[in-house]
Amino acid sequence: MKKLLTTILSLGLAASAALAANPAISATKVSESLDKVKADSAVWSKAKFETVVLYPQTTIEFNDKKANALVANTKGKKAQVAALHDGKNIAIMVKWADKTKDVEQCMSSDVYTDGFAVQFAGATKKAQPLPYIGMGSEGRPVVVHLQKATAKVYEPNGNKDVSTQINRQQTGVFGKELAEFDAKVASLANTDYEKVFVAEGFRSTTEIKDKSVKSNGAMVHSPAGWSGTLSRPLKDEYVNLSGTVPVAIAVWDGSTMGRNGLKNLSTWVAINLEGQKANTAMVSELTTDSKGDAAKGKEAAMTNGCTGCHQMTAADAPSLLGPSLKNIGGYSTSEYLRESILKPSAVVVPGYNRNAHPNTPWYNIEKGKRVSTMTDFSFLDKATVDDIVAYLKTLKSEVE
């Protein structure tokens, strides 16, 4: 009986792990310029879409009781992703199901918007492990393109033109003059919410406002859901994209109060630029899982006290005691998990919830740097670490 149960457990863990690996995406080389490409551009007919799974972000508990209740049973989302490149620019399209259309408004502070983001690994002086999926890590920057769905928003628009900031019924004009006033106001409306950020770890996120990054993003809604597009140069002062481009994708659902960390996101996904030499090592890392034994890894995780601080299932530690690992297998690479076990201070998650107990801090400050309070497990042998990583890769929600 014990052998049978072990076999069933192993099969179940293996089935879960199979969902973690996303396929590599081929970015078709096209002759058309992609710097202004839109969702309805004919050039997308040349692209090949692949399925990428986006999992609920649960590492840090969001500090909003109502929002947490709305997403308590959120499942992984399947997105269709395709890419193109013209030798100078890369264009990415993301399609995901969302029956409700929630747009940015200026009329209420409790209305949230649908949106999506594409994250790239930033340029570094030497090759190194990929950054942490959540806003990068020290010495390993990321560049994030954020697009939100918007209606016409007039203020604040930065124009400092007080003549257009009054109610049309208070203008004192009628007929043709009122029509001209309405047309002028409409021309000033902001209908695009597109921002670019650079980050090198939590709490380092900085918006790039000097227009040094040239990008073009858009969202289009249909009964089936959203189509989001982004195009940007392959190279600038922040990125140097060639061969194999690692990207991560996130989507927000305004109907469930999604914003900031309340989202679904993917792990790093490999995009191979057609006509260029692929980085086979990176492709292998991002399309295959750890070769460890997940069943043994679960036992090793319990033996070494992982569940004493981390929530892996509902029966484990409280969610605020340490970063939750309930979906860690869905949006973390095997290499990141291995690094976290052996070098816990390499990436420190500082999202310590104000509702957590003050006697259980996630990190301490030493010489001006955050140092994780997690035990350094570098004493574990390689096989055991591989097994734990294999188990962690099975931790993720069902996919809708």
Side-chain angles (χ1 to χ4, degrees):
M1 177 64 72
K2 182 177 180 181
K3 183 177 181 181
L4 176 60
L5 290 174
T6 301
T7 301
I8 293 173
L9 174 62
S10 299
L11 290 173
L13 292 172
S16 297
L19 287 172
N22 290 301
I25 295 171
S26 178
T28 305
K29 176 72 179 294
V30 298
S31 57
E32 297 93 330
S33 177
L34 298 174
D35 59 339
K36 299 295 183 182
V37 68
K38 297 181 179 180
D40 59 355
S41 297
V43 70
W44 286 110
S45 64
K46 302 178 181 180
K48 180 183 178 182
F49 285 84
E50 299 285 358
T51 299
V52 173
V53 182
L54 317 176
Y55 289 92
Q57 191 290 120
T58 49
T59 302
I60 301 172
E61 184 171 305
F62 205 65
N63 201 40
D64 186 324
K65 184 177 181 180
K66 182 178 179 181
N68 288 339
L70 288 173
V71 300
N73 299 312
T74 298
K75 297 181 179 181
K77 294 178 180 291
K78 289 182 179 180
Q80 300 301 310
V81 183
L84 304 166
H85 83 99
D86 60 13
K88 295 182 178 180
N89 304 284
I90 185 171
I92 297 172
M93 178 180 284
V94 182
K95 297 181 179 181
W96 71 98
D98 186 349
K99 294 182 180 179
T100 60
K101 182 180 180 181
D102 304 288
V103 301
E104 187 83 359
Q105 298 183 33
C106 61
M107 306 298 290
S108 177
S109 61
D110 61 352
V111 174
Y112 302 95
T113 177
D114 298 332
F116 83 106
V118 179
Q119 177 174 274
F120 297 87
T124 54
K125 294 182 180 179
K126 60 179 181 180
Q128 53 189 313
L130 286 170
Y132 174 51
I133 198 67
M135 297 304 167
S137 33
E138 186 175 355
R140 291 174 282 177
V142 295
V143 175
V144 182
H145 292 259
L146 172 64
Q147 186 75 38
K148 289 185 178 182
T150 59
K152 289 185 177 181
V153 179
Y154 299 97
E155 293 301 331
N157 59 21
N159 293 298
K160 300 179 181 180
D161 186 355
V162 296
S163 67
T164 59
Q165 297 179 17
I166 59 177
N167 188 295
R168 68 191 300 274
Q169 295 178 350
Q170 298 175 325
T171 59
V173 296
F174 305 90
K176 181 180 179 181
E177 291 181 334
L178 182 57
E180 291 175 348
F181 172 84
D182 288 340
K184 184 176 182 180
V185 172
S187 69
L188 295 173
N190 177 17
T191 58
D192 184 34
Y193 186 111
E194 178 182 356
K195 295 187 177 183
V196 187
F197 303 88
V198 62
E200 204 167 308
F202 282 96
R203 296 177 181 166
S204 69
T205 307
T206 305
E207 184 180 355
I208 302 172
K209 296 182 177 181
D210 62 359
K211 299 182 180 180
S212 57
V213 175
K214 308 297 183 183
S215 64
N216 179 46
M219 293 175 64
V220 178
H221 193 263
S222 70
W226 285 103
S227 293
T229 54
L230 167 73
S231 62
R232 62 151 295 139
L234 288 168
K235 297 180 181 180
D236 58 26
E237 64 176 289
Y238 296 101
V239 301
N240 185 0
L241 310 177
S242 63
T244 300
V245 177
V247 303
I249 297 161
V251 301
W252 286 263
D253 186 350
S255 66
T256 56
M257 301 177 70
R259 77 272 196 198
N260 301 329
L262 204 65
K263 60 183 181 291
N264 277 54
L265 71 162
S266 75
T267 184
W268 287 108
V269 178
I271 296 181
N272 293 320
L273 303 182
E274 186 180 50
Q276 298 187 17
K277 184 178 180 181
N279 183 331
T280 54
M282 182 180 293
V283 172
S284 177
E285 176 187 347
L286 300 183
T287 57
T288 58
D289 289 327
S290 172
K291 294 180 173 57
D293 186 316
K296 289 183 179 179
K298 180 177 182 179
E299 183 178 350
M302 297 179 67
T303 300
N304 287 281
C306 299
T307 55
C309 294
H310 296 288
Q311 187 181 67
M312 301 181 184
T313 68
D316 296 328
S319 60
L320 299 176
L321 190 60
S324 173
L325 304 181
K326 289 189 299 183
N327 280 291
I328 199 70
Y331 45 72
S332 291
T333 65
S334 295
E335 286 305 311
Y336 167 72
L337 295 172
R338 185 173 289 104
E339 179 184 63
S340 297
I341 295 169
L342 301 176
K343 300 177 181 179
S345 291
V347 178
V348 179
V349 179
Y352 185 64
N353 193 297
R354 69 183 67 183
N355 298 318
H357 197 286
N359 291 340
T360 57
W362 296 1
Y363 62 90
N364 295 314
I365 301 296
E366 297 181 13
K367 297 181 179 179
K369 289 190 175 183
R370 292 190 291 268
V371 178
S372 176
T373 55
M374 176 176 158
T375 301
D376 181 339
F377 287 96
S378 58
F379 58 85
L380 294 176
D381 61 83
K382 183 180 183 301
T384 300
V385 173
D386 286 345
D387 291 343
I388 294 175
V389 169
Y391 168 60
L392 293 177
K393 287 295 290 182
T394 69
L395 299 179
K396 52 193 173 294
S397 62
E398 295 180 12
V399 179
E400 64 183 21

